[in-house]
Amino acid sequence: MTAKGKTKPDTVSSLRSVIPGIFDAAQKNIVGHRKHAVALHKLQTQCYDHDIDGLTGEDAFNKEFIRNLNKVLGIKKREPSADKIVKLVATFVQVGHEMDIQELSKSKEKGKNSDKDEDDVFGADTSTAATDGNENVDTVSSRFVELLIRYLLQGFYAKEKMTRLRCCQIVAMSVTSLGEIDEDLYFELIKKLTERVSDKESSIRMHAAIALSKLQSGEEDEGGEVAEALLNLLQNDPNSEVRRAVLLNVEKNPSTLPYVLERARDVDPINRKCLFLKVMPPIDYHLLSIEDRERLLAAGINDRDANVRRACVRMIGESWLTFADQNLLELTSSLDVVDSPVASKVMQSLFTAYPEIPENLDFDQELWDNLTPEMAFIIRSTIEFFNERKDADKIDKHLPDAMRLAQMLESLGAKLESEVDEEICPDYEFIIHQLLLVAKMSDFPDEIGRREMLTLMRKMIMVPEIPENNIEAISDIIRKLSIGEQDFIRIMVEVVSDVRELAPELKKNSPKEVRLEALLVSIKCLIIIKYILQRCFDTLSEGSSMYALLTECVVPAVQSSETVLQEYGIECLALFCLLDKNLAVDNIVLFAQAVSHGSGELHKKGLAAILDLAFLYGITDLSASLGTCADFVDLIYRELESEDIKVQATAGEGLAKLLYAHRVPDPEAVLEELLVLYFHPKTSENDSLRQCLTYFFPAFSYMSCDNQALMQQIAIRAICRLAKVLKQQQIQTQQHQKNPGDGPGGATQGQAAQQIVVWSDPRILEAISAMNSSTNMPITTTSSSRISKYSMLAIDALKLTFTESPGTRKVLVQLLNKLALDEKTPQIQLQQMFVLVRTLSQKGLITDMITRNSLSRFESSVLKLLDIGSASDVNLEGWLGEPEMAGIFEFVSSLEDTHDYSSEGTETTEENVDMPGGKEISTAESDSENSEVHGAQDSLRTPKINSAIPLPTRVKSQSPLKRSRDEHMEELAREIDELLDTEGEEEEQGYMDNVY
């Protein structure tokens, strides 16, 4: 009898007790999974080819295993017991695969060591079959794996999401241990996993992506079906965990690497950190192009998250430096330091994280005599690092004396002038610039060295083709060599005069060349003047020699017909105005003209000048020449609708700074415009503006109680405008796109409203104030006045629901339940809220059930805070006698006298509305500004454009049949409403998590 025949009959009959026992034991501790997997494999081997009740022992084992596995397929995720069973299954598949490999190795070894008769042809053939045919041998483990995979693939289409998740999870954990499987099964597995990466559940997509990534090696083409599906997830999946799973598991090759590098700009900081810590370190940076290295380092070193920045520096210090054989010079050469905008910051961050690198550097004389761009960059970075740490000993060790430094600069300057190869000239200019930056960090203790350096600087600045960055460095050195600011101005005025004297000495054959040379000299003078003014901080005195430069250089440049001279002239004039208030008042009209009629850089510099002067002197003092303060602000408002996103961002950032510094005479209007601008769909692509305002609003609101009170005053008005804007955007998206999800991203109406309410919450202000306090004081109780102002949001919202369109009304009613009203809310305000809610309900203005249910929940919460059981228990007659309630009852009476709401449900659309300060307002807006789509583009209007009071309309009478049907469906609608509200709150919470 064979070994299989010796299997005891009771082994198969005991499967229904043994296998469940192993599954039960595996749920208790994950440490013994390997032991349990081996026991299962042993049991599987014993059951092999044993018949019982019409089934083979192998079939009986498979049936019992699947029966026990089915019990965990429907269990919710993150259930520890179910997760342990899934790991047990994966371990069992792995053990079976390992046992098959061991058996195969033993068979091969046995075939090699067996003694065969060389003349026995049949024996030789048998040996060959034993050694060559065993790779695809059919074993009990391989058959079980194939059965298991086919069974799990059926669960990929299950209706229950947890069943789909568990099936994908088991396949993902077991796919590396599949070994050789049937080709048809392989392609079927890929096909169904590719379908699952589009599942609506993110956890299913994640495990399907992990499983797919482990099947990439089977594709001959790097851009095959599997790679295409994974790269699509990596780029477009909204869930950060799915993108992370693909990022960590996708095969890194030339076709996928560009998509992997894009994750350096992923919205999730954990994904960005994983890229630098786990994905990029094993990859040799030499495989990346210089442009890819620059983009990767720029994204990492400038990341807003400190953990990502540290991960990037760690990648450079531990991985890239290793690939460079610990040679800093070789690593620097790979960064193209001559043209790199990020190399300096990368080097400083590397030195900060690994200070032993600069401390072990030594620069001998031979190195100074044979400088290369990379070596000059390392020297400058090293000295700059020690200069920031104020380590005088290290600076003195590496920094040459002033005389030696001047001699090197002079020698390099001579080489540059004599060099005829244009490709080498940029290298010399870069080395000279690095040495000038080194000279800036010298104290010049030697008087002879100081004089020699000052003479050399004046000589170098006279070079006709000197780069602008060298002029800036020379200006810094001369400022350091000067006794004081007046001495610096005197020296630099002389330099400008010397430069201007070069023009008459020019002798050119062509008048065109003469004009060009004169233009270059004028530009150079204006550049020098700019750097002079940037380094002066004292108010200009009446007899200052700088006024001569203003008259002789700046004013002619502003009046010139050459655009480039106008741009430099406007910039220099703005710098003069920062030092002389009277000059600013006299020339503010000129800057306004540059904004209104200029283009390109002239327009941008004029706008920047106006914002800087307003921040320094205030709008009130500058607006006299332009008319009123409103005219001044209106000039800036018009820039918010600019097609140039940089101009729009500059205007928005400038207004935010003016508002933060309390430089705006009408802060309510400006704050409201910025709120609408922040959420407006037309600014969704302006990342600079959005990033600035994302920081500004919480910083402004939580800076002081007065600022938050300002936010509370305009909150409801801004929410109403945004509701109309975002509704119009939604309508346009549905009209022009087949898939509404493809439209521009941004906040929904509810998300925008909730965010504004959060910025208005005084409790958050109190908590932040306590956290920022220098002493460990407990959070102080929020004052009643602040709570009262916050509670007024509900009252203002309820009042506007009587006049706003149905879409806006729905947003306002849903907003009520977002307010954090509690027992601290004044009782009189709770009474006012109840009166308004009851009036709104009785008017029949709320027609949809979802909004009615939201209003009912708010009414219940108000009654609970009033400690009243039901609405019928309210003593309205008693409230009529309270003086504080008189205003609310008068408001309700005015509604009865002046409004008829019959057609409040009708909505109109407008044809064309411009952005803030726009030139065209549609007829629909002027006739019916309470339209649902009111002011989609008018939402960024200036304070001069006020909302019209909606015309009274009639509500359509409702038939008894329809009313009866609505009453019968009330209960069902309430359940649907609660479900939608729950999902909406989760979506809004996710959005707010992204904002913070």
Side-chain angles (χ1 to χ4, degrees):
M1 181 179 293
T2 61
K4 292 183 288 185
K6 295 179 180 178
T7 305
K8 296 180 180 180
D10 59 350
T11 301
V12 178
S13 24
S14 63
L15 288 176
R16 293 186 67 88
S17 60
V18 176
I19 293 181
I22 294 176
F23 271 63
D24 183 63
Q27 298 178 48
K28 299 177 181 178
N29 195 346
I30 197 173
V31 178
H33 273 190
R34 180 77 181 181
K35 180 183 69 175
H36 298 314
V38 172
L40 281 172
H41 181 74
K42 183 177 180 182
L43 183 62
Q44 182 187 40
T45 305
Q46 292 175 352
C47 293
Y48 171 52
D49 203 20
H50 183 79
D51 296 332
I52 182 171
D53 295 335
L55 293 175
T56 64
E58 180 181 351
D59 292 337
F61 175 87
N62 294 341
K63 182 178 180 181
E64 181 61 24
F65 189 94
I66 295 297
R67 188 184 72 84
N68 286 271
L69 179 61
N70 285 338
K71 297 178 180 180
V72 301
L73 293 182
I75 299 179
K76 63 181 181 179
K77 60 181 178 181
R78 296 190 180 89
E79 177 63 35
S81 58
D83 291 338
K84 291 174 183 176
I85 294 300
V86 170
K87 293 178 182 178
L88 172 66
V89 175
T91 307
F92 174 54
V93 173
Q94 180 183 4
V95 168
H97 181 59
E98 292 174 356
M99 295 296 182
D100 288 347
I101 293 176
Q102 292 178 7
E103 291 296 327
L104 179 62
S105 300
K106 291 179 180 179
S107 298
K108 289 183 178 181
E109 190 66 26
K110 184 177 180 181
K112 291 179 181 179
N113 297 332
S114 63
D115 295 328
K116 299 178 293 293
D117 186 354
E118 294 182 1
D119 296 332
D120 187 355
V121 179
F122 297 101
D125 290 342
T126 304
S127 175
T128 303
T131 56
D132 296 339
N134 279 338
E135 293 185 2
N136 296 320
V137 67
D138 187 20
T139 65
V140 62
S141 297
S142 64
R143 291 193 298 273
F144 170 79
V145 168
E146 183 172 343
L147 172 70
L148 178 65
I149 294 299
R150 291 188 185 278
Y151 180 76
L152 293 174
L153 289 179
Q154 299 176 26
F156 280 20
Y157 298 103
K159 184 178 179 181
E160 295 295 330
K161 63 181 181 181
M162 290 314 306
T163 303
R164 301 197 306 274
L165 171 62
R166 292 299 180 187
C167 291
C168 287
Q169 191 177 11
I170 296 173
V171 170
M173 298 179 68
S174 307
V175 71
T176 54
S177 304
L178 294 182
E180 294 289 340
I181 62 175
D182 181 68
E183 184 176 355
D184 294 337
L185 177 60
Y186 172 77
F187 287 112
E188 184 183 3
L189 180 59
I190 289 180
K191 177 184 177 182
K192 293 190 175 180
L193 284 173
T194 306
E195 294 174 354
R196 283 308 95 206
V197 297
S198 301
D199 197 283
K200 63 180 180 180
E201 296 294 330
S202 59
S203 55
I204 297 175
R205 297 198 304 272
M206 181 181 69
H207 287 96
I210 294 174
L212 264 183
S213 64
K214 296 176 181 178
L215 296 173
Q216 294 174 94
S217 57
E219 287 192 315
E220 297 180 359
D221 186 7
E222 290 183 352
E225 180 183 1
V226 173
E228 183 180 354
L230 291 175
L231 294 178
N232 181 59
L233 283 178
L234 185 62
Q235 284 188 299
N236 303 316
D237 197 278
N239 187 272
S240 61
E241 293 184 359
V242 177
R243 298 196 303 274
R244 190 181 312 139
V246 179
L247 177 65
L248 294 173
N249 293 282
V250 70
E251 184 178 351
K252 312 305 184 295
N253 54 50
S255 64
T256 61
L257 203 52
Y259 299 94
V260 171
L261 295 178
E262 287 179 356
R263 292 306 95 202
R265 303 294 297 170
D266 195 284
V267 295
D268 185 65
I270 299 178
N271 287 358
R272 303 196 299 271
K273 181 181 176 181
C274 284
L275 175 69
F276 292 106
L277 274 185
K278 298 182 179 180
V279 178
M280 294 308 299
I283 301 175
D284 190 345
Y285 71 90
H286 293 99
L287 300 176
L288 306 178
S289 65
I290 292 180
E291 292 77 10
D292 288 338
R293 296 174 206 162
E294 290 289 328
R295 283 194 294 268
L296 181 64
L297 293 178
I301 213 69
N302 295 317
D303 198 283
R304 71 175 68 182
D305 192 291
N307 293 325
V308 179
R309 294 196 299 270
R310 285 193 290 267
C312 179
V313 174
R314 182 176 174 182
M315 176 194 70
I316 300 170
E318 297 181 5
S319 175
W320 287 22
L321 203 56
T322 301
F323 285 120
D325 297 329
Q326 304 299 325
N327 189 330
L328 185 62
L329 183 59
E330 181 181 342
L331 177 63
T332 306
S333 302
S334 65
L335 299 180
D336 188 22
V337 294
V338 176
D339 300 318
S340 174
V342 75
S344 180
K345 191 170 184 178
V346 168
M347 193 61 66
Q348 291 304 313
S349 300
L350 180 64
F351 286 172
T352 302
Y354 302 93
E356 63 275 9
I357 295 178
E359 289 176 356
N360 294 328
L361 293 177
D362 189 22
F363 311 120
D364 54 22
Q365 188 59 42
E366 182 180 358
L367 188 146
W368 283 100
D369 294 336
N370 300 279
L371 286 176
T372 62
E374 291 76 20
M375 202 64 243
F377 173 77
I378 293 176
I379 291 174
R380 192 266 300 173
S381 300
T382 304
I383 297 176
E384 183 177 342
F385 171 73
F386 290 124
N387 185 58
E388 291 179 356
R389 296 178 63 179
K390 302 186 184 302
D391 192 338
D393 295 336
K394 295 291 185 180
I395 295 176
D396 294 339
K397 174 184 176 183
H398 296 297
L399 190 66
D401 58 78
M403 183 66 72
R404 174 61 181 159
L405 196 56
Q407 291 174 355
M408 285 190 292
L409 284 168
E410 189 171 10
S411 174
L412 288 168
K415 291 181 180 179
L416 177 61
E417 292 181 4
S418 61
E419 184 59 52
V420 294
D421 190 349
E422 294 183 358
E423 295 183 357
I424 300 179
C425 289
D427 291 345
Y428 280 123
E429 291 177 350
F430 181 79
I431 295 173
I432 290 174
H433 181 65
Q434 298 303 303
L435 292 182
L436 287 173
L437 295 179
V438 169
K440 279 174 54 178
M441 293 177 278
S442 176
D443 291 334
F444 303 107
D446 182 17
E447 183 62 28
I448 298 177
R450 289 170 61 89
R451 294 178 181 178
E452 186 69 22
M453 183 62 71
L454 180 59
T455 303
L456 178 62
M457 293 299 101
R458 297 189 61 165
K459 179 181 177 181
M460 289 182 66
I461 206 171
M462 298 296 293
V463 175
E465 298 180 356
I466 183 172
E468 184 175 342
N469 60 348
N470 285 353
I471 295 178
E472 181 179 10
I474 290 172
S475 301
D476 287 328
I477 294 173
I478 294 177
R479 179 67 182 89
K480 196 166 188 177
L481 292 170
S482 304
I483 299 175
E485 187 172 302
Q486 295 303 319
D487 185 44
F488 169 67
I489 292 176
R490 178 186 62 79
I491 295 173
M492 295 303 291
V493 169
E494 294 177 359
V495 169
V496 174
S497 300
D498 294 341
V499 172
R500 293 183 64 205
E501 291 176 0
L502 292 177
E505 297 178 0
L506 297 173
K507 297 179 181 180
K508 300 291 183 180
N509 296 328
S510 171
K512 183 177 180 181
E513 294 179 351
V514 173
R515 288 195 301 271
L516 178 60
E517 206 63 43
L519 178 63
L520 294 176
V521 170
S522 298
I523 292 174
K524 184 175 181 179
C525 291
L526 292 172
I527 291 174
I528 296 174
I529 293 172
K530 178 181 72 172
Y531 289 128
I532 296 172
L533 293 169
Q534 288 177 350
R535 284 150 184 80
C536 294
F537 301 96
D538 296 339
T539 303
L540 295 179
S541 58
E542 294 184 1
S544 175
S545 56
M546 289 297 294
Y547 285 109
L549 296 180
L550 174 65
T551 305
E552 297 174 5
C553 298
V554 177
V555 173
V558 174
Q559 298 173 347
S560 173
S561 59
E562 297 288 345
T563 304
V564 64
L565 287 180
Q566 291 178 353
E567 293 171 0
Y568 279 109
I570 284 289
E571 187 175 7
C572 291
L573 181 60
L575 291 171
F576 268 107
C577 292
L578 291 175
L579 300 176
D580 189 339
K581 183 177 181 180
N582 294 329
L583 194 63
V585 174
D586 294 339
N587 290 279
I588 193 66
V589 177
L590 179 62
F591 297 126
Q593 291 176 350
V595 173
S596 301
H597 307 293
S599 60
E601 289 297 319
L602 182 63
H603 180 91
K604 295 176 183 177
K605 290 182 178 180
L607 178 61
I610 287 178
L611 293 172
D612 289 341
L613 294 175
F615 186 82
L616 182 62
Y617 301 123
I619 293 178
T620 304
D621 294 340
L622 296 176
S623 60
S625 301
L626 296 177
T628 63
C629 294
D631 295 330
F632 190 99
V633 176
D634 182 66
L635 177 67
I636 305 175
Y637 277 162
R638 288 198 296 268
E639 300 308 305
L640 296 178
E641 64 179 28
S642 174
E643 296 296 332
D644 190 334
I645 61 174
K646 292 184 179 179
V647 173
Q648 190 182 59
T650 301
E653 181 180 350
L655 283 174
K657 289 180 179 178
L658 291 173
L659 193 60
Y660 194 82
H662 302 287
R663 290 291 192 177
V664 181
D666 186 12
E668 288 186 23
V670 175
L671 183 60
E672 183 178 344
E673 295 304 317
L674 289 180
L675 270 176
V676 177
L677 184 72
Y678 178 58
F679 292 103
H680 201 286
K682 288 197 173 182
T683 63
S684 60
E685 302 296 328
N686 196 337
D687 295 334
S688 299
L689 177 64
R690 287 282 179 102
Q691 185 175 12
C692 171
L693 296 180
T694 297
Y695 174 81
F696 165 74
F697 286 121
F700 176 82
S701 300
Y702 303 141
M703 183 177 70
S704 67
C705 299
D706 293 338
N707 286 1
Q708 191 170 70
L710 193 65
M711 178 68 75
Q712 293 165 349
Q713 291 174 19
I714 57 93
I716 300 301
R717 293 201 308 270
I719 289 172
C720 290
R721 290 175 60 186
L722 283 169
K724 299 164 188 173
V725 170
L726 298 175
K727 179 64 176 179
Q728 173 69 4
Q729 179 64 29
Q730 180 182 357
I731 294 174
Q732 292 177 353
T733 301
Q734 294 174 351
Q735 291 176 348
H736 295 90
Q737 296 179 356
K738 295 181 180 179
N739 184 6
D742 294 339
T748 63
Q749 295 168 306
Q751 291 168 347
Q754 184 178 2
Q755 184 63 80
I756 295 174
V757 168
V758 169
W759 289 331
S760 305
D761 194 341
R763 298 168 181 81
I764 300 179
L765 173 61
E766 294 290 347
I768 293 177
S769 300
M771 290 171 57
N772 295 335
S773 177
S774 57
T775 59
N776 295 326
M777 296 175 59
I779 298 178
T780 58
T781 303
T782 308
S783 65
S784 58
S785 61
R786 298 178 195 170
I787 293 294
S788 176
K789 292 178 181 178
Y790 178 67
S791 304
M792 281 300 298
L793 295 178
I795 298 174
D796 294 340
L798 286 168
K799 287 181 178 180
L800 285 176
T801 54
F802 291 96
T803 57
E804 288 293 340
S805 62
T808 305
R809 186 180 297 143
K810 180 178 180 180
V811 175
L812 292 174
V813 172
Q814 292 177 348
L815 169 68
L816 298 174
N817 292 299
K818 306 295 183 183
L819 296 171
L821 303 179
D822 54 19
E823 62 278 357
K824 298 179 182 178
T825 305
Q827 291 292 304
I828 194 66
Q829 289 185 331
L830 291 173
Q831 296 174 11
Q832 293 173 353
M833 294 177 199
F834 177 78
V835 171
L836 291 172
V837 169
R838 295 302 297 174
T839 304
L840 186 60
S841 300
Q842 293 170 1
K843 293 291 182 183
L845 299 179
I846 309 297
T847 56
D848 65 290
M849 295 182 183
I850 294 178
T851 310
R852 284 209 306 268
N853 291 338
S854 296
L855 189 64
S856 298
R857 287 200 303 273
F858 180 72
E859 180 181 345
S860 300
S861 63
V862 171
L863 289 173
K864 184 177 180 181
L865 291 173
L866 287 170
D867 199 16
I868 298 176
S870 63
S872 59
D873 299 332
V874 176
N875 184 12
L876 288 177
E877 295 181 358
W879 291 359
L880 283 171
E882 298 182 13
E884 295 87 349
M885 295 293 295
I888 289 297
F889 287 115
E890 289 178 3
F891 174 79
V892 174
S893 299
S894 67
L895 295 175
E896 295 287 347
D897 296 338
T898 62
H899 287 280
D900 183 9
Y901 301 93
S902 291
S903 65
E904 282 288 336
T906 60
E907 298 183 9
T908 60
T909 57
E910 53 190 1
E911 298 175 359
N912 185 23
V913 184
D914 284 349
M915 289 247 314
K919 302 181 179 67
E920 186 176 351
I921 302 296
S922 69
T923 306
E925 177 193 342
S926 60
D927 291 342
S928 180
E929 291 197 10
N930 66 324
S931 166
E932 172 66 34
V933 295
H934 162 183
Q937 297 160 351
D938 173 59
S939 61
L940 300 181
R941 65 184 188 277
T942 63
K944 290 185 175 181
I945 304 176
N946 297 319
S947 298
I949 299 176
L951 295 174
T953 53
R954 287 187 181 275
V955 168
K956 295 180 180 179
S957 60
Q958 195 175 41
S959 65
L961 180 62
K962 187 174 185 299
R963 188 181 304 112
S964 175
R965 184 181 61 189
D966 288 345
E967 291 174 356
H968 282 294
M969 294 182 64
E970 184 82 25
E971 188 65 28
L972 177 61
R974 184 177 292 107
E975 295 177 1
I976 297 175
D977 177 33
E978 293 176 356
L979 178 62
L980 291 176
D981 283 351
T982 302
E983 294 178 351
E985 290 174 359
E986 293 176 354
E987 179 184 358
E988 292 169 9
Q989 186 61 41
Y991 168 80
M992 296 182 64
D993 292 341
N994 290 335
V995 169
Y996 284 104

